[in-house]
Amino acid sequence: MNFAASQRLRWLGIWETIPANAQGALWMLLGGFCFSIMSLVIKYLGQELDSFQLGFIRAVFGVIVVLPFVFKRGIGSLRTKVFKLHFFRAVVGISGMLSIFYAVTHLPLADAVALTFTRPLFLILLAVLFLGEIIRWRRWLATGVGFLGVLVMVQADGEFSHASFVALFGAFMVALVSVFLKKLSRTEDPITMMFYFGVIGASIAFIPALFVWQTPTWQQLAILGGGALFGSGANYCAIRAFSVAEATAVAPFDYMRLVFSGLFGFLVFSEIPTLWMLTGASIIVASSLYIVRREAGLKKAQKQPIEQSVEP
């Protein structure tokens, strides 16, 4: 056994001694760091390239990443009976991506990231409208408090920022994507979903990108490619975090993205968070954490009678 292999086994042994929830927290922290790097890349390139163009190139990179897996499994694996669902999911998803990219390039980095944390608030509304879920008064109250935090945060000098509303629209679109994914995941493979989203999303983003197109340099493409890799890494880390640990244990660590983004914004762009931002973001985070913990508690309570009924 060579030295590199022995070192991998050594670190694997140490990793396995770490409790599952602590592993999940570390995965979530790493994912938050990767996501913040991707946001930093978008904001940096957004000073020279339009957000529509950045969204189109990012979608193309997404297709390139998934193609090897498609070829390995065969083109036949892309057959689907729910193409309409894939299409609408792609429309909603690319709309959310373009909106968030716009917000990142036009708002302080920490502000844009904080507004994306409104997704759990929108999910409550969508769960009632599209999934028929019954929401009790405590979660409705937490949702209302969360949106109060939004009103506090988006206020700047007594006026509402246009880019802040775009960020909220992007968060709503991302929440709506979750509804489509819940339906698609019943019959569709993740690779199939990623392929159709990439192809359809890139085709849609190409139209507005044409009107603002500037031929990117090789350096800009390399930077954006690196940002796409960090974005994929962030998704992988989040999946790993929720697969090894309890959702209520790892969810709070996702909010470290606010810290990372605020730090990057200060170091790279000399951005200083305002009192409005800090207050509003704190309210949003607190309400979102309550909703996550409340939902986890309800799911646990629903499972308990079933588990008790099958005991010998």
Side-chain angles (χ1 to χ4, degrees):
M1 181 182 298
N2 57 36
F3 178 76
S6 63
Q7 285 296 100
R8 283 196 297 270
L9 288 175
R10 177 172 175 268
W11 282 111
L12 181 61
I14 296 174
W15 179 257
E16 289 176 345
T17 63
I18 300 175
N21 284 342
Q23 290 184 23
L26 291 173
W27 277 117
M28 189 60 78
L29 285 173
L30 180 58
F33 180 79
C34 290
F35 179 87
S36 300
I37 290 290
M38 186 193 73
S39 299
L40 176 63
V41 166
I42 296 302
K43 187 168 183 65
Y44 176 76
L45 292 177
Q47 299 177 97
E48 300 173 348
L49 301 175
D50 191 275
S51 56
F52 284 130
Q53 184 176 348
L54 292 174
F56 165 70
I57 298 174
R58 172 66 178 87
V60 170
F61 274 121
V63 176
I64 293 174
V65 168
V66 79
L67 277 179
F69 298 97
V70 173
F71 290 141
K72 182 178 179 180
R73 301 175 53 180
I75 301 298
S77 63
L78 297 177
R79 292 193 184 96
T80 179
K81 296 181 179 179
V82 288
F83 180 78
K84 286 185 178 179
L85 272 181
H86 284 290
F87 177 79
F88 287 117
R89 182 255 169 165
V91 171
V92 170
I94 198 65
S95 299
M97 178 190 292
L98 294 176
S99 299
I100 290 173
F101 278 18
Y102 179 89
V104 166
T105 57
H106 289 80
L107 288 173
L109 194 58
D111 291 41
V113 171
L115 286 171
T116 64
F117 284 124
T118 56
R119 185 176 69 92
L121 309 180
F122 287 119
L123 272 174
I124 293 293
L125 303 176
L126 293 171
V128 174
L129 294 175
F130 294 101
L131 301 178
E133 294 187 9
I134 299 175
I135 308 300
R136 301 187 183 278
W137 69 269
R138 289 186 180 87
R139 279 194 287 172
W140 278 123
L141 180 60
T143 303
V145 171
F147 282 115
L148 177 62
V150 171
L151 293 177
V152 172
M153 186 177 166
V154 300
Q155 184 171 345
D157 299 325
E159 297 180 358
F160 294 114
S161 166
H162 170 72
S164 296
F165 281 112
V166 175
L168 290 174
F169 176 76
F172 176 77
M173 289 291 103
V174 173
L176 188 54
V177 165
S178 300
V179 177
F180 281 105
L181 290 179
K182 188 168 184 178
K183 294 180 178 294
L184 284 168
S185 61
R186 296 170 184 169
T187 58
E188 304 298 285
D189 183 84
I191 297 298
T192 304
M193 290 189 285
M194 291 172 65
F195 175 81
Y196 283 115
F197 169 72
V199 172
I200 299 171
S203 301
I204 294 171
F206 177 69
I207 298 172
L210 272 179
F211 294 95
V212 294
W213 187 265
Q214 298 180 49
T215 303
T217 65
W218 287 110
Q219 181 181 12
Q220 290 171 333
L221 285 175
I223 293 173
L224 187 55
L229 287 176
F230 274 103
S232 299
N235 289 330
Y236 175 80
C237 289
I239 292 171
R240 290 288 296 166
F242 285 109
S243 66
V244 301
E246 299 172 359
T248 52
V250 300
F253 293 92
D254 187 35
Y255 294 98
M256 280 299 293
R257 284 194 282 155
L258 278 172
V259 177
F260 294 138
S261 299
L263 183 61
F264 290 150
F266 175 74
L267 293 176
V268 180
F269 306 105
S270 300
E271 297 173 349
I272 300 177
T274 64
L275 180 61
W276 288 112
M277 180 269 168
L278 294 175
T279 304
S282 299
I283 296 173
I284 293 171
V285 168
S287 61
S288 298
L289 281 175
Y290 176 82
I291 290 172
V292 170
R293 290 184 176 276
R294 179 70 180 170
E295 288 180 347
L298 290 174
K299 289 180 180 178
K300 186 175 181 180
Q302 290 171 356
K303 289 181 179 179
Q304 193 170 14
I306 298 176
E307 292 171 353
Q308 290 176 348
S309 66
V310 297
E311 286 180 353

